[in-house]
Amino acid sequence: MQKEFFGITKNNESIQKFTLTGGGLIAKFINWGAVLQDLKFESDSKSLVLGLEKLEDYIKHSRYFGATAGPYANRIDSGRFRINESEIQLQTNFQKKHHLHGGTEGIGRRAWNVDEVAKNALKLSIIHPDGHMGYPGPIQINATFSLLDSGILDIVYKAETEKTTIVNLAHHSYFNLSGEKTILEHELKINASTFLEVDEGLIPRGEPQSVEVGGHDFRDFRRIKNESGKISNLDHNYCLSLNPQEIRPVAWLKSGLVSLQINTTEPGIQVYDGHGLDLKINGVDGRYLGAYAGIALEPQLWPDSPNRQEFASPYLFPGEVYFQHTQYQFLKKLISNKS
């Protein structure tokens, strides 16, 4: 494990970068936002994720690159929901109308405590104060990142609260397995037959719809680039199950010799093809950070679940433990020298 200084926040918090090795991978994390800044095969200099070079770039420009989004990842309609007879109002930081990813000072944009560091593992924690961004609490959140055999980035999230609240965490890396300018030629497969249609605020409306509607079918591998010639515009939840499950494979991404398998306990996976990325700066390895530069594949609960009783519940009660287990498993095929 290697540790180095990465920057200072406006609150005079020291941010460090940690380099982990294991399972044929090299991962670099910072304790601001629990961000995965860089991820490579040990045998390759090409990053598999989008990342930024400086802390000030993350603070000013980041689109949640590699962050842990929460306490509630994704969107909540009008930022409102009810706990018993009380209406809770969260910050409306998306379109000035809805709540997104915990707000402008959610856990993906704050300094975390460093609890344990090993060659192949990092444990971070953060307390989300009572009332911060509108959430009841305080909420104690823990994240453990490990590099395991067979190219696995293993992520375990846990959370506890002192007041009834909502929790829905998501790892928010943007993946680019080829190193090319965009991911439009990547092939994606998702083990889901339904998805959630959304309105102009990206809030789900109605019941889950068949993936056969509107070119959303990824039940077999197909290019992210829409085969119909329409511009790709993915930012949807794919419905994997009604409730959390034992960890199981749910999605696959591949480009050339590199492939990614995603295993998770979660009932949904948000797929965002990066069509709205618009950064004018370069990322790690000089990477382009404009439209379609990377694809976010985020296991989580279904969006707006506090307002949808038919969706898996995001409510966390005192004495309970929120738990999520997600794995990103990378494989690079070897080129045979045989004639």
Side-chain angles (χ1 to χ4, degrees):
M1 188 281 300
Q2 178 183 344
K3 174 183 174 182
E4 55 189 294
F5 175 75
F6 194 71
I8 295 285
T9 71
K10 65 180 180 181
N11 296 324
N12 203 35
E13 299 156 313
S14 179
I15 303 303
Q16 307 296 318
K17 179 164 67 174
F18 302 88
T19 301
L20 312 180
T21 57
L25 299 172
I26 300 173
K28 297 181 180 181
F29 289 89
I30 61 173
N31 62 305
W32 186 87
V35 161
L36 173 63
Q37 186 225 10
D38 194 8
L39 181 68
K40 296 181 171 87
F41 289 108
E42 286 185 341
S43 58
D44 199 341
S45 61
K46 178 177 63 188
S47 186
L48 299 166
V49 297
L50 303 185
L52 303 175
E53 294 284 4
K54 301 175 182 178
L55 177 61
E56 51 262 40
D57 289 338
Y58 277 102
I59 293 171
K60 185 176 181 180
H61 300 294
S62 180
R63 305 298 189 269
Y64 297 94
F65 292 123
T68 293
Y72 189 95
N74 219 314
R75 294 158 185 85
I76 297 176
D77 189 3
S78 303
R80 290 197 297 267
F81 62 96
R82 301 190 71 83
I83 295 179
N84 297 322
E85 300 303 316
S86 300
E87 182 173 274
I88 306 298
Q89 179 66 64
L90 305 180
Q91 183 194 53
T92 50
N93 61 313
F94 181 69
Q95 299 179 345
K96 298 182 179 180
K97 184 177 181 180
H98 306 298
H99 183 74
L100 174 66
H101 291 336
T104 54
E105 295 183 12
I107 61 172
R109 299 187 57 83
R110 292 176 52 212
W112 290 54
N113 300 312
V114 180
D115 295 337
E116 293 183 34
V117 182
K119 179 182 178 181
N120 72 322
L122 176 67
K123 292 185 178 182
L124 303 174
S125 65
I126 191 169
I127 294 176
H128 192 83
D130 183 29
H132 186 60
M133 300 287 102
Y135 287 85
I139 311 169
Q140 171 74 42
I141 299 171
N142 299 276
T144 301
F145 303 97
S146 306
L147 299 181
L148 306 181
D149 290 344
S150 303
I152 293 175
L153 168 61
D154 187 87
I155 303 174
V156 174
Y157 292 130
K158 295 182 180 180
E160 298 179 80
T161 183
E162 293 186 21
K163 293 181 181 178
T164 301
T165 192
I166 57 170
V167 174
N168 176 36
L169 307 181
H171 180 72
H172 204 294
S173 278
Y174 290 82
F175 300 98
N176 184 318
L177 306 183
S178 67
E180 296 176 356
K181 189 173 182 179
T182 78
I183 46 78
L184 289 172
E185 296 295 329
H186 283 43
E187 292 182 74
L188 177 63
K189 178 180 177 181
I190 306 171
N191 189 22
S193 59
T194 59
F195 77 107
L196 296 178
E197 289 188 310
V198 293
D199 62 16
E200 64 278 0
L202 300 182
I203 303 296
R205 297 303 184 200
E207 298 303 310
Q209 300 294 311
S210 170
V211 293
E212 297 176 6
V213 175
H216 290 277
D217 193 349
F218 288 95
R219 287 175 293 182
D220 292 315
F221 277 110
R222 52 159 272 214
R223 291 189 303 171
I224 294 167
K225 183 179 181 179
N226 198 312
E227 303 297 338
S228 69
K230 295 181 180 179
I231 296 174
S232 182
N233 194 33
L234 290 171
D235 198 354
H236 297 81
N237 173 80
Y238 282 77
C239 306
L240 306 171
S241 59
L242 293 177
N243 292 290
Q245 307 286 318
E246 294 294 322
I247 190 167
R248 77 285 194 206
V250 298
W252 298 260
L253 183 70
K254 64 182 181 180
S255 177
L257 301 176
V258 180
S259 62
L260 165 62
Q261 176 176 301
I262 301 175
N263 311 315
T264 189
T265 54
E266 298 308 282
I269 185 168
Q270 185 78 12
V271 179
Y272 173 47
D273 61 15
H275 60 266
L277 294 177
D278 58 357
L279 273 67
K280 306 303 181 185
I281 61 173
N282 291 329
V284 171
D285 298 339
R287 187 69 61 85
Y288 164 80
L289 297 175
Y292 305 108
I295 182 169
L297 300 166
E298 315 157 47
Q300 57 185 272
L301 300 178
W302 299 5
D304 199 33
S305 54
N307 296 310
R308 300 290 295 271
Q309 292 185 357
E310 68 273 29
F311 293 178
S313 174
Y315 287 93
L316 182 66
F317 301 93
E320 293 183 343
V321 178
Y322 166 93
F323 175 82
Q324 181 193 144
H325 188 190
T326 291
Q327 295 179 328
Y328 296 93
Q329 183 170 13
F330 298 86
L331 175 65
K332 185 176 183 181
K333 293 181 181 178
L334 299 176
I335 300 175
S336 176
N337 293 321
K338 295 179 181 180
S339 58

